[in-house]
């Protein structure tokens, strides 16, 4: 298998040159035969890119992903707006095209976080729309040691407030977030995930503790792995632009009912200025490239972060997780 950096001087993504001219069945067979090597390369680079794959539909993309990781999972517990296209394939985040989705690790705030995130390009945007990526190991190394130690020692707790579907408002309801109307199923998920929760007259409140820095299970490397800079109520986020939080004041009824927030694991507040510094370091590590039709990107969700740049024109990218 021929592999080389897509961009000279950048360690990710790693471009894989698979045989040309293969149909969908041939591509699936080739991917299955090279599954262990693809895993090894992803563990090294954090992000791997396959080009010119014969994917025309979300269904094609799903079978490609299953050839690499047979056990795909649903987007249960995720708060980003998406549409389900097949059993395991979704649209990429449906925020307005003029907004940027900052770097993050998928579902780092939820009861589970995928090992792999797959993106496929069925139609690139006319301009922009890159999925920027960044090495979580590099972010960890570049952070101010004092800031990093606070997060490493204390961990973080995500506070989430989800409305019931009967309550009008922006943002996803708990039914949409957990892809079920059953409170028992939601409670089972939350209890299994060791998340605290409380049902209210208007919806659901959850509290989830997570380590802010993870040690990779295969490589042993320490990686920055959280979304604290996007969940803090005093830091502007993409959610603000679509009205998911009407205000930054903790005392307002809307925030108390539906807003998100993040604190340290010991319940102490995180300094917003530290979060701005973290965002700046993350951005300094980002790498981006234009999508091409037929691209499939494989992301190790511990080693690497991803986001989305603003775009113009129709953009059809799909996502799956394992």
């Amino acid at each position: 298998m021929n592999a080389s950096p897509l961009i000279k001087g950048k360690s990710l993504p790693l471009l894989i040159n698979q045989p040309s001219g293969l149909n969908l069945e041939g591509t699936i067979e080739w991917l299955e035969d090279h599954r262990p090597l693809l895993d090894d390369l992803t563990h090294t680079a954090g992000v791997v890119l396959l080009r010119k794959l014969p994917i025309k539909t979300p269904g094609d993309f799903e079978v490609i992903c299953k050839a690499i990781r047979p056990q795909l999972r649903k987007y249960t517990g995720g708060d980003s707006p998406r549409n389900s296209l097949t059993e395991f394939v979704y649209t990429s985040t449906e925020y307005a095209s003029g907004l940027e989705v900052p770097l993050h690790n998928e579902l780092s705030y939820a009861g589970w976080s995928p090992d792999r995130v797959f993106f496929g390009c069925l139609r690139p945007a006319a301009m922009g729309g890159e999925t920027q990526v960044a090495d979580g190991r590099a972010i960890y190394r570049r952070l101010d040691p004092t800031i990093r130690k606070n997060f490493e020692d204390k961990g973080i707790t995500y506070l989430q407030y989800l409305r019931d579907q009967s309550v009008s408002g922006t943002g996803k309801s708990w039914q949409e977030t957990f892809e079920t109307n059953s409170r028992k199923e939601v409670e089972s998920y939350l209890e299994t995930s060791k998340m605290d929760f409380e049902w209210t007259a208007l919806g659901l409140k959850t509290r989830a503790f997570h380590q802010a820095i993870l040690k990779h299970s295969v490589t042993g490397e320490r990686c920055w792995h959280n979304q604290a800079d996007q969940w803090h109520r005093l830091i502007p986020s993409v959610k603000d632009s679509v009205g998911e939080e009407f205000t930054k004041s903790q005392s307002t009824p809307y925030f108390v009912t539906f807003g998100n927030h993040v604190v340290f694991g010991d319940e102490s507040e995180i300094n917003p200025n530290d979060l701005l510094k973290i965002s700046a370091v993350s951005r300094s590590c980002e790498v981006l490239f234009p999508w091409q039709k037929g691209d499939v990107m494989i992301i190790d969700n511990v080693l690497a972060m991803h986001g989305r740049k603003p775009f113009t024109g129709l953009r059809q990218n799909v996502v799956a997780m394992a």
Side-chain angles (χ1 to χ4, degrees):
M1 181 185 292
N2 185 12
S4 59
L6 176 68
I7 302 170
K8 186 177 180 180
K10 302 291 184 181
S11 61
L12 78 173
L14 195 64
L15 177 64
I16 306 298
N17 294 310
Q18 70 278 6
S20 60
L22 294 179
N23 60 16
L24 185 60
E25 290 183 357
T27 300
I28 291 169
E29 183 178 352
W30 184 86
L31 290 170
E32 289 174 340
D33 289 344
H34 292 84
R35 187 184 297 158
L37 184 53
L38 281 170
D39 259 353
D40 289 343
L41 292 173
T42 307
H43 289 148
T44 299
V47 182
V48 164
L49 180 66
L50 299 160
R51 300 217 111 147
K52 299 180 180 179
L53 297 191
I55 53 170
K56 297 180 180 179
T57 68
D60 294 343
F61 175 69
E62 181 173 310
V63 295
I64 288 289
C65 294
K66 284 182 175 178
I68 302 168
R69 279 294 175 99
Q71 302 300 320
L72 299 182
R73 295 188 63 174
K74 294 185 177 182
Y75 185 60
T76 306
D79 75 340
S80 291
R82 303 182 189 275
N83 291 317
S84 177
L85 302 175
T86 71
E87 184 178 6
F88 296 108
V89 175
Y90 299 81
T91 57
S92 59
T93 301
E94 295 279 2
Y95 286 121
S97 61
L99 301 177
E100 176 174 345
V101 178
L103 288 163
H104 61 281
N105 302 97
E106 198 64 51
L107 290 166
S108 59
Y109 54 84
W112 75 284
S113 186
D115 177 49
R116 290 286 184 274
V117 180
F118 301 93
F119 285 100
C121 180
L122 302 181
R123 178 173 178 172
M127 182 177 295
E130 301 93 343
T131 298
Q132 73 269 34
V133 291
D135 192 323
R137 298 163 291 192
I139 295 171
Y140 174 82
R141 291 192 298 267
R142 292 187 189 183
L143 284 171
D144 180 306
T146 302
I147 295 175
R148 186 176 65 202
K149 189 176 189 304
N150 258 338
F151 281 85
E152 201 155 17
D153 290 348
K154 298 178 181 180
I156 55 177
T157 296
Y158 295 98
L159 309 174
Q160 188 174 35
Y161 306 82
L162 299 166
R163 63 181 175 84
D164 186 89
Q165 63 185 3
S166 64
V167 177
S168 61
T170 56
K172 294 171 71 173
S173 66
W174 66 261
Q175 291 93 336
E176 293 169 314
T177 298
F178 296 101
E179 300 186 10
T180 181
N181 291 319
S182 169
R183 287 195 175 197
K184 287 187 177 180
E185 289 182 16
V186 173
E187 289 173 1
S188 176
Y189 167 90
L190 295 172
E191 288 168 356
T192 301
S193 304
K194 299 181 180 179
M195 294 171 65
D196 296 329
F197 63 92
E198 175 189 353
W199 294 104
T200 72
L202 297 177
L204 174 67
K205 296 182 179 182
T206 68
R207 178 184 298 264
F209 172 81
H210 289 284
Q211 297 297 332
I213 293 159
L214 296 186
K215 186 176 181 180
H216 195 273
S217 60
V218 175
T219 70
E221 297 164 293
R222 294 187 181 279
C223 306
W224 188 252
H225 187 274
N226 64 80
Q227 293 175 230
D229 57 331
Q230 295 164 54
W231 275 60
H232 196 281
R233 64 173 177 261
L234 296 181
I235 302 296
S237 73
V238 68
K239 294 183 178 67
D240 302 327
S241 301
V242 293
E244 192 153 322
E245 295 177 34
F246 287 172
T247 177
K248 289 297 183 182
S249 171
Q250 184 182 17
S251 63
T252 63
Y254 188 86
F255 176 81
V256 172
T257 306
F258 298 127
N260 292 339
H261 189 42
V262 64
V263 295
F264 280 123
D266 63 1
E267 302 297 321
S268 61
E269 290 290 338
I270 301 172
N271 187 335
N273 290 326
D274 288 348
L275 294 174
L276 293 175
K277 293 175 183 177
I278 291 166
S279 295
V281 170
S282 298
R283 187 175 288 274
S284 74
C285 294
E286 75 177 21
V287 178
L288 64 158
F289 59 91
W291 281 107
Q292 295 180 15
K293 184 177 180 180
D295 281 355
V296 170
M297 183 161 60
I298 310 168
I299 299 177
D300 184 304
N301 194 44
V302 174
L303 294 177
M305 308 179 86
H306 66 275
R308 190 209 70 189
K309 293 296 185 181
F311 64 93
T312 58
L314 181 63
R315 177 184 187 266
Q316 192 176 7
N317 275 37
V318 289
V319 62
M321 303 169 200

